[in-house]
mmCIF file of all heavy atoms in Angstrom:
data_model
loop_
_atom_site.group_PDB
_atom_site.id
_atom_site.type_symbol
_atom_site.label_atom_id
_atom_site.label_comp_id
_atom_site.label_asym_id
_atom_site.label_seq_id
_atom_site.Cartn_x
_atom_site.Cartn_y
_atom_site.Cartn_z
ATOM 1 N N VAL A 69 -10.351 -1.394 3.525
ATOM 2 C CA VAL A 69 -10.872 -0.990 2.211
ATOM 3 C C VAL A 69 -10.912 0.533 2.097
ATOM 4 O O VAL A 69 -10.577 1.114 1.057
ATOM 5 C CB VAL A 69 -12.298 -1.566 1.971
ATOM 6 C CG1 VAL A 69 -12.928 -0.956 0.748
ATOM 7 C CG2 VAL A 69 -12.228 -3.084 1.804
ATOM 8 N N PHE A 72 -6.814 1.783 2.759
ATOM 9 C CA PHE A 72 -5.812 1.279 1.827
ATOM 10 C C PHE A 72 -6.388 0.920 0.462
ATOM 11 O O PHE A 72 -5.687 0.339 -0.372
ATOM 12 C CB PHE A 72 -5.092 0.075 2.439
ATOM 13 C CG PHE A 72 -4.624 0.318 3.857
ATOM 14 C CD1 PHE A 72 -4.826 -0.640 4.833
ATOM 15 C CD2 PHE A 72 -4.001 1.504 4.203
ATOM 16 C CE1 PHE A 72 -4.410 -0.419 6.137
ATOM 17 C CE2 PHE A 72 -3.586 1.743 5.504
ATOM 18 C CZ PHE A 72 -3.794 0.782 6.475
ATOM 19 N N GLY A 73 -7.664 1.241 0.270
ATOM 20 C CA GLY A 73 -8.299 1.031 -1.033
ATOM 21 C C GLY A 73 -8.799 2.330 -1.622
ATOM 22 O O GLY A 73 -8.306 2.795 -2.647
ATOM 23 N N VAL A 74 -9.761 2.926 -0.933
ATOM 24 C CA VAL A 74 -10.374 4.175 -1.469
ATOM 25 C C VAL A 74 -9.398 5.349 -1.342
ATOM 26 O O VAL A 74 -9.214 6.114 -2.308
ATOM 27 C CB VAL A 74 -11.692 4.485 -0.724
ATOM 28 C CG1 VAL A 74 -12.286 5.785 -1.259
ATOM 29 C CG2 VAL A 74 -12.674 3.338 -0.877
ATOM 30 N N ALA A 77 -6.717 5.398 -3.936
ATOM 31 C CA ALA A 77 -7.300 5.688 -5.246
ATOM 32 C C ALA A 77 -7.510 7.186 -5.429
ATOM 33 O O ALA A 77 -7.258 7.737 -6.527
ATOM 34 C CB ALA A 77 -8.640 4.956 -5.392
ATOM 35 N N THR A 109 -8.080 4.521 -14.400
ATOM 36 C CA THR A 109 -7.428 3.359 -13.794
ATOM 37 C C THR A 109 -7.438 3.358 -12.250
ATOM 38 O O THR A 109 -7.442 2.290 -11.661
ATOM 39 C CB THR A 109 -5.970 3.214 -14.278
ATOM 40 O OG1 THR A 109 -5.254 4.437 -14.041
ATOM 41 C CG2 THR A 109 -5.937 2.872 -15.771
ATOM 42 N N PRO A 110 -7.446 4.520 -11.555
ATOM 43 C CA PRO A 110 -7.535 4.458 -10.097
ATOM 44 C C PRO A 110 -8.777 3.751 -9.584
ATOM 45 O O PRO A 110 -8.809 3.307 -8.414
ATOM 46 C CB PRO A 110 -7.518 5.923 -9.667
ATOM 47 C CG PRO A 110 -6.746 6.609 -10.755
ATOM 48 C CD PRO A 110 -7.168 5.906 -12.004
ATOM 49 N N LEU A 111 -9.823 3.632 -10.430
ATOM 50 C CA LEU A 111 -11.019 2.912 -10.014
ATOM 51 C C LEU A 111 -10.724 1.440 -9.726
ATOM 52 O O LEU A 111 -11.486 0.784 -9.006
ATOM 53 C CB LEU A 111 -12.101 3.020 -11.086
ATOM 54 C CG LEU A 111 -12.661 4.421 -11.355
ATOM 55 C CD1 LEU A 111 -13.606 4.400 -12.544
ATOM 56 C CD2 LEU A 111 -13.391 4.936 -10.116
ATOM 57 N N MET A 112 -9.636 0.921 -10.301
ATOM 58 C CA MET A 112 -9.263 -0.459 -10.043
ATOM 59 C C MET A 112 -8.799 -0.675 -8.611
ATOM 60 O O MET A 112 -8.944 -1.759 -8.050
ATOM 61 C CB MET A 112 -8.140 -0.897 -11.003
ATOM 62 C CG MET A 112 -8.510 -0.894 -12.465
ATOM 63 S SD MET A 112 -7.080 -1.368 -13.514
ATOM 64 C CE MET A 112 -6.773 -3.025 -12.935
ATOM 65 N N ILE A 113 -8.243 0.350 -8.018
ATOM 66 C CA ILE A 113 -7.569 0.203 -6.724
ATOM 67 C C ILE A 113 -8.535 -0.262 -5.621
ATOM 68 O O ILE A 113 -8.274 -1.262 -4.952
ATOM 69 C CB ILE A 113 -6.821 1.483 -6.336
ATOM 70 C CG1 ILE A 113 -5.719 1.771 -7.379
ATOM 71 C CG2 ILE A 113 -6.222 1.371 -4.948
ATOM 72 C CD1 ILE A 113 -5.002 3.104 -7.182
ATOM 73 N N PRO A 114 -9.654 0.441 -5.364
ATOM 74 C CA PRO A 114 -10.539 -0.042 -4.297
ATOM 75 C C PRO A 114 -11.187 -1.372 -4.631
ATOM 76 O O PRO A 114 -11.390 -2.201 -3.731
ATOM 77 C CB PRO A 114 -11.588 1.078 -4.159
ATOM 78 C CG PRO A 114 -11.495 1.872 -5.418
ATOM 79 C CD PRO A 114 -10.093 1.748 -5.893
ATOM 80 N N ALA A 115 -11.510 -1.617 -5.924
ATOM 81 C CA ALA A 115 -12.143 -2.877 -6.300
ATOM 82 C C ALA A 115 -11.202 -4.063 -6.053
ATOM 83 O O ALA A 115 -11.575 -5.064 -5.426
ATOM 84 C CB ALA A 115 -12.551 -2.817 -7.762
ATOM 85 N N PHE A 116 -9.955 -3.950 -6.521
ATOM 86 C CA PHE A 116 -9.009 -5.043 -6.337
ATOM 87 C C PHE A 116 -8.581 -5.155 -4.874
ATOM 88 O O PHE A 116 -8.292 -6.271 -4.397
ATOM 89 C CB PHE A 116 -7.782 -4.814 -7.238
ATOM 90 C CG PHE A 116 -7.982 -5.251 -8.655
ATOM 91 C CD1 PHE A 116 -8.919 -4.635 -9.461
ATOM 92 C CD2 PHE A 116 -7.258 -6.283 -9.194
ATOM 93 C CE1 PHE A 116 -9.134 -5.017 -10.777
ATOM 94 C CE2 PHE A 116 -7.429 -6.695 -10.510
ATOM 95 C CZ PHE A 116 -8.381 -6.051 -11.327
ATOM 96 N N SER A 117 -8.532 -4.040 -4.146
ATOM 97 C CA SER A 117 -8.191 -4.097 -2.729
ATOM 98 C C SER A 117 -9.274 -4.836 -1.950
ATOM 99 O O SER A 117 -8.957 -5.672 -1.076
ATOM 100 C CB SER A 117 -8.047 -2.666 -2.174
ATOM 101 O OG SER A 117 -6.959 -1.997 -2.760
ATOM 102 N N ALA A 118 -10.531 -4.558 -2.243
ATOM 103 C CA ALA A 118 -11.639 -5.252 -1.571
ATOM 104 C C ALA A 118 -11.590 -6.754 -1.864
ATOM 105 O O ALA A 118 -11.765 -7.591 -0.955
ATOM 106 C CB ALA A 118 -12.969 -4.664 -2.001
ATOM 107 N N TYR A 119 -11.325 -7.104 -3.137
ATOM 108 C CA TYR A 119 -11.235 -8.510 -3.508
ATOM 109 C C TYR A 119 -10.071 -9.186 -2.773
ATOM 110 O O TYR A 119 -10.206 -10.301 -2.260
ATOM 111 C CB TYR A 119 -11.035 -8.625 -5.027
ATOM 112 C CG TYR A 119 -11.072 -10.059 -5.529
ATOM 113 C CD1 TYR A 119 -12.259 -10.634 -5.944
ATOM 114 C CD2 TYR A 119 -9.922 -10.845 -5.578
ATOM 115 C CE1 TYR A 119 -12.318 -11.942 -6.396
ATOM 116 C CE2 TYR A 119 -9.945 -12.137 -6.016
ATOM 117 C CZ TYR A 119 -11.136 -12.676 -6.440
ATOM 118 O OH TYR A 119 -11.182 -13.980 -6.876
ATOM 119 N N ARG A 120 -8.932 -8.477 -2.709
ATOM 120 C CA ARG A 120 -7.758 -9.052 -2.044
ATOM 121 C C ARG A 120 -8.017 -9.281 -0.555
ATOM 122 O O ARG A 120 -7.634 -10.302 0.018
ATOM 123 C CB ARG A 120 -6.579 -8.089 -2.202
ATOM 124 C CG ARG A 120 -5.224 -8.673 -1.763
ATOM 125 C CD ARG A 120 -4.739 -8.119 -0.471
ATOM 126 N NE ARG A 120 -3.685 -8.759 0.225
ATOM 127 C CZ ARG A 120 -2.998 -9.851 0.023
ATOM 128 N NH1 ARG A 120 -3.219 -10.591 -1.016
ATOM 129 N NH2 ARG A 120 -2.108 -10.288 0.849
ATOM 130 N N LEU A 121 -8.683 -8.328 0.104
ATOM 131 C CA LEU A 121 -8.958 -8.459 1.526
ATOM 132 C C LEU A 121 -9.931 -9.620 1.812
ATOM 133 O O LEU A 121 -9.763 -10.347 2.795
ATOM 134 C CB LEU A 121 -9.516 -7.144 2.081
ATOM 135 C CG LEU A 121 -8.480 -6.024 2.166
ATOM 136 C CD1 LEU A 121 -9.152 -4.663 2.288
ATOM 137 C CD2 LEU A 121 -7.530 -6.264 3.337
ATOM 138 N N ALA A 122 -10.926 -9.793 0.951
ATOM 139 C CA ALA A 122 -11.843 -10.913 1.126
ATOM 140 C C ALA A 122 -11.108 -12.239 0.915
ATOM 141 O O ALA A 122 -11.283 -13.203 1.672
ATOM 142 C CB ALA A 122 -13.000 -10.786 0.123
ATOM 143 N N SER A 178 -2.508 -3.028 -8.878
ATOM 144 C CA SER A 178 -3.820 -3.612 -8.584
ATOM 145 C C SER A 178 -3.817 -5.103 -8.908
ATOM 146 O O SER A 178 -4.357 -5.912 -8.149
ATOM 147 C CB SER A 178 -4.912 -2.898 -9.391
ATOM 148 O OG SER A 178 -5.053 -1.570 -8.959
ATOM 149 N N LEU A 181 -2.128 -7.139 -6.285
ATOM 150 C CA LEU A 181 -2.934 -7.363 -5.092
ATOM 151 C C LEU A 181 -3.591 -8.737 -5.083
ATOM 152 O O LEU A 181 -3.706 -9.381 -4.038
ATOM 153 C CB LEU A 181 -4.017 -6.297 -4.990
ATOM 154 C CG LEU A 181 -3.612 -4.889 -4.550
ATOM 155 C CD1 LEU A 181 -4.768 -3.931 -4.730
ATOM 156 C CD2 LEU A 181 -3.154 -4.874 -3.102
ATOM 157 N N VAL A 182 -4.022 -9.188 -6.252
ATOM 158 C CA VAL A 182 -4.760 -10.462 -6.334
ATOM 159 C C VAL A 182 -3.924 -11.552 -7.009
ATOM 160 O O VAL A 182 -4.462 -12.599 -7.376
ATOM 161 C CB VAL A 182 -6.085 -10.251 -7.097
ATOM 162 C CG1 VAL A 182 -6.987 -9.298 -6.328
ATOM 163 C CG2 VAL A 182 -5.858 -9.755 -8.513
#
Side-chain angles (χ1 to χ4, degrees):
V69 169
F72 311 135
V74 179
T109 55
L111 294 174
M112 296 178 62
I113 298 174
F116 279 64
S117 295
Y119 186 91
R120 190 255 166 355
L121 288 162
S178 294
L181 285 170
V182 297

